[in-house]
Amino acid sequence: MCKKFIVTATPPTTNGDLHLGHMSGPYLGGDIFTRAQRLMGHEVLYISSTDDNQSYLLTKAIQEQRPPKEVAEDYSAKIKKSLQLAQIGLDEFTSPDHPVHVREVQSYFMELYNQGYLVEKDIDFLYCEPCQQHLYEAFVKGTCPTCAAPCGGNFCEECGNPNDPTDMIEPLCLRCQSVPTVRSNRVIMFPLEKLRSQLANYYNQNGYKWKPRLREWYAQFLARPLPEVPVTNVCEWGVPVPLEAFSNQVINVWFEMLPGHLATLKRRYEHHASEHQLAWDGNEDVNIVQFFGFDNSFYYTVLHTAMIIGLAEQQPADSFIINEFYLLENKKFSTSRKHAVWASEFITPENSDLVRLYLSLTGPEHKQTNFTIEQFNCTSQSLLNELFRPFLSPRNDKGQAGTTSIDDVIHSFKGLFEQLYSEQFFSPSGAVHALKSYTAQVNTYDDVSQGKALLALSLFAYPIMPTVSAQLWTALTGKLEHEMSWHDFSQVEVNIQNGLNVIESRLLVQTSVG
Ligand SMILES: [Zn+2]
Ligand SMILES: [Zn+2]
């Protein structure tokens, strides 16, 4: 049965290039998932956009003394290049600087406002007198009132909880380090408490599919009074609030993100009118699968779900696939502190598959993991050898395998990979481990079985290492990449020597990065 998926990856903020920490999370995850599902014959659309209206972009523009638009365009180009180098095959990657985007965000906002879900309210704000700036998100730093970790305004990367900046401990203006004053301002709020029972129902129906940390976080979140979230900010940069009395405000970026995805979908089908259209409206049997970092959990699982429940025109996401932080030399990757390995400097067309393989194995699926260039150089090549070299060096004891036929071995691994690439059990790291044990196991069989085994390997490895796997498939079968098929490949005729030649030429490539 053909399944249908709309897959999203968190829109990257254009305050810097993507680093390997970003890459190891939602972008690679979404791409591996998309490639695997397509290979299995399912219909998938993988989308994202840049997140240009973030306060982090404004602080970057101030720091670089450049207009925000120029900063956004500059880093947007770098991000696109990085995604391309890492072979992240987004079907549509848009920018919010487009009338369809603005219209979609404003109309979503107005519908929730008109239905009474969004309310006007005077609330206290932090304000920096020297900078004459309302302090929220990137403009303020302090200590999280929930977990006591250092954090920015409005949400905490560490515990994933939203905060009211006036509750932060010892807040300071990020720009001038002044202690802020408090001012009152009328903004638009989204009180979540009145959607409590719907959010709890949603969790009861879907939570079992999430990773344990997200489940636990959501249950704890529901156990407390649900916050009122400001969905407008006093600022000139962003999508304007379409209400006369709030003309000095913009719609908050986290609110913007959901209708932003819908706008991207719309724009996709405007210029691919003949394509079969996947709809995010719950009418068709389309699975919405969203990839993001744990620190964005509140926005995806609570805010966006509440927006969808309020409007009742879309379906809430079916699956959330989260990642934790990837560390660099045991410290958080940081764009603003420039503690990063930039994707566009590290990834090349020659090492792209290898980087994907290494990030898949070591990425922060369930807990924080660590990256060092030294470790990459030490182990990535031997990992590649482990997966492919046994096919080049015939073993004397081949033919000693047990009674299980090679077809049965391939069949059982096929089932395993279907699980490891599925939305519920998605695990690139598990898939790399499975590739290793697959190679070890099939190389106990005689040479006659080798062609078949290698052909299956090209399919199993394709979502993680698309270039070399497709080359291997083509060499073995004479067919093209788009003809790769998860089903019925055991009937395909195989030229083993061509396949071994590809392995040899790929394995000899020098991939060390300085
Ligand atoms: Zn916290
Ligand atoms: Zn200041």
Side-chain angles (χ1 to χ4, degrees):
M1 191 191 71
C2 173
K3 290 200 242 172
K4 302 184 184 89
F5 296 97
I6 293 173
V7 179
T8 73
T10 313
T13 303
T14 40
N15 65 336
D17 191 1
L18 293 177
H19 51 61
L20 291 189
H22 294 126
M23 207 54 97
S24 72
Y27 309 105
L28 181 58
D31 184 73
I32 291 173
F33 180 78
T34 298
R35 286 178 191 274
Q37 297 307 320
R38 252 185 217 143
L39 190 60
M40 293 171 201
H42 304 307
E43 198 179 337
V44 194
L45 191 76
Y46 181 24
I47 58 169
S48 189
S49 57
T50 54
D51 185 21
D52 297 351
N53 294 328
Q54 276 281 1
S55 51
Y56 292 87
L57 181 107
L58 289 177
T59 51
K60 189 70 172 183
I62 292 167
Q63 192 193 339
E64 294 188 353
Q65 300 185 324
R66 293 201 286 165
K69 193 171 161 54
E70 188 184 309
V71 173
E73 284 170 358
D74 185 9
Y75 287 119
S76 175
K78 290 196 166 84
I79 287 170
K80 281 179 191 157
K81 187 181 161 213
S82 291
L83 291 169
Q84 204 175 8
L85 281 168
Q87 307 175 72
I88 308 300
L90 285 153
D91 296 299
E92 196 69 30
F93 187 66
T94 57
S95 131
D97 184 18
H98 191 278
V100 171
H101 179 94
V102 174
R103 222 168 28 236
E104 193 75 25
V105 173
Q106 288 182 331
S107 77
Y108 208 107
F109 180 91
M110 283 313 295
E111 285 199 50
L112 282 173
Y113 179 82
N114 290 334
Q115 290 181 30
Y117 287 103
L118 304 183
V119 296
E120 299 178 16
K121 197 170 174 186
D122 293 315
I123 62 162
D124 285 345
F125 271 99
L126 295 181
Y127 187 80
C128 178
E129 302 289 347
C131 297
Q132 300 190 347
Q133 168 83 50
H134 281 83
L135 301 184
Y136 63 96
E137 295 176 357
F139 296 112
V140 56
K141 60 177 181 180
T143 300
C144 171
T146 308
C147 75
C151 75
N154 298 85
F155 92 109
C156 171
E157 277 191 348
E158 207 56 49
C159 67
N161 285 304
N163 64 53
D164 176 344
T166 58
D167 292 337
M168 284 169 83
I169 302 156
E170 296 179 346
L172 290 177
C173 170
L174 188 88
R175 191 173 167 189
C176 73
Q177 313 293 317
S178 299
V179 176
T181 54
V182 174
R183 284 194 179 189
S184 177
N185 224 318
R186 175 154 286 224
V187 294
I188 306 218
M189 304 290 284
F190 189 5
L192 297 173
E193 189 59 46
K194 62 178 175 186
L195 290 167
R196 169 181 287 280
S197 66
Q198 292 95 320
L199 287 168
N201 277 345
Y202 174 69
Y203 172 66
N204 292 336
Q205 283 163 18
N206 293 278
Y208 72 94
K209 294 184 270 185
W210 306 348
K211 286 185 186 167
R213 188 169 179 213
L214 182 58
R215 275 207 305 269
E216 203 176 300
W217 177 86
Y218 204 94
Q220 282 179 9
F221 187 79
L222 284 178
R224 295 192 296 263
L226 300 186
E228 297 191 336
V229 190
V231 291
T232 65
N233 298 108
V234 181
C235 185
E236 287 170 359
W237 178 254
V239 176
V241 176
L243 291 165
E244 191 67 40
F246 296 86
S247 57
N248 65 337
Q249 299 185 19
V250 294
I251 295 171
N252 181 268
V253 278
W254 294 101
F255 184 100
E256 177 189 341
M257 204 169 278
L258 171 67
H261 285 316
L262 300 173
T264 300
L265 204 57
K266 209 170 242 181
R267 288 164 68 183
R268 167 76 189 178
Y269 294 130
E270 269 180 11
H271 58 94
H272 288 82
S274 61
E275 218 170 73
H276 176 242
Q277 304 199 357
L278 296 174
W280 191 325
D281 58 10
N283 291 328
E284 211 182 352
D285 192 16
V286 176
N287 293 284
I288 311 294
V289 181
Q290 302 199 279
F291 286 80
F292 55 89
F294 171 77
D295 53 319
N296 294 157
S297 296
F298 167 72
Y299 297 107
Y300 278 92
T301 65
V302 180
L303 181 68
H304 294 176
T305 305
M307 288 164 70
I308 288 172
I309 290 168
L311 210 54
E313 285 177 9
Q314 285 87 34
Q315 64 187 94
D318 298 278
S319 303
F320 295 124
I321 301 182
I322 59 162
N323 60 274
E324 303 285 338
F325 281 117
Y326 204 30
L327 305 178
L328 171 62
E329 316 278 355
N330 293 310
K331 283 195 204 114
K332 257 186 209 169
F333 274 85
S334 166
T335 301
S336 50
R337 291 194 307 278
K338 297 199 168 135
H339 178 68
V341 176
W342 304 109
S344 60
E345 291 170 10
F346 188 80
I347 307 174
T348 63
E350 290 73 34
N351 74 7
S352 178
D353 270 358
L354 192 60
V355 173
R356 289 173 61 110
L357 177 68
Y358 187 78
L359 295 183
S360 296
L361 179 68
T362 62
E365 277 179 29
H366 295 283
K367 58 178 173 38
Q368 294 189 347
T369 53
N370 192 39
F371 177 88
T372 68
I373 291 180
E374 198 189 355
Q375 196 67 22
F376 172 81
N377 283 336
C378 274
T379 59
S380 57
Q381 195 64 36
S382 59
L383 183 59
L384 207 54
N385 284 339
E386 201 180 338
L387 294 185
F388 294 104
R389 196 170 283 283
F391 290 95
L392 295 176
S393 34
R395 287 172 44 167
N396 295 331
D397 61 348
K398 276 188 180 174
Q400 302 300 310
T403 51
T404 317
S405 74
I406 188 75
D407 289 325
D408 286 344
V409 173
I410 291 173
H411 186 74
S412 70
F413 271 95
K414 193 171 161 226
L416 176 62
F417 283 107
E418 281 167 9
Q419 288 233 319
L420 293 168
Y421 291 138
S422 73
E423 63 274 35
Q424 194 174 346
F425 302 104
F426 186 73
S427 174
S429 159
V432 177
H433 284 292
L435 289 172
K436 291 205 270 183
S437 42
Y438 173 76
T439 292
Q441 203 167 330
V442 295
N443 274 285
T444 58
Y445 283 79
D446 61 32
D447 294 348
V448 184
S449 310
Q450 217 182 16
K452 242 184 219 181
L454 202 50
L455 184 65
L457 179 62
S458 74
L459 293 163
F460 298 159
Y462 175 75
I464 292 174
M465 309 176 69
T467 301
V468 70
S469 306
Q471 284 172 352
L472 189 54
W473 158 271
T474 300
L476 289 166
T477 64
K479 292 170 182 246
L480 298 173
E481 180 176 350
H482 73 264
E483 296 174 284
M484 291 179 91
S485 168
W486 194 255
H487 308 288
D488 307 325
F489 60 85
S490 57
Q491 309 305 321
V492 179
E493 207 167 302
V494 170
N495 182 329
I496 177 76
Q497 194 50 51
N498 283 350
L500 296 179
N501 290 345
V502 164
I503 290 182
E504 199 147 26
S505 62
R506 288 293 300 198
L507 282 170
L508 295 176
V509 173
Q510 178 54 259
T511 49
S512 181
V513 179

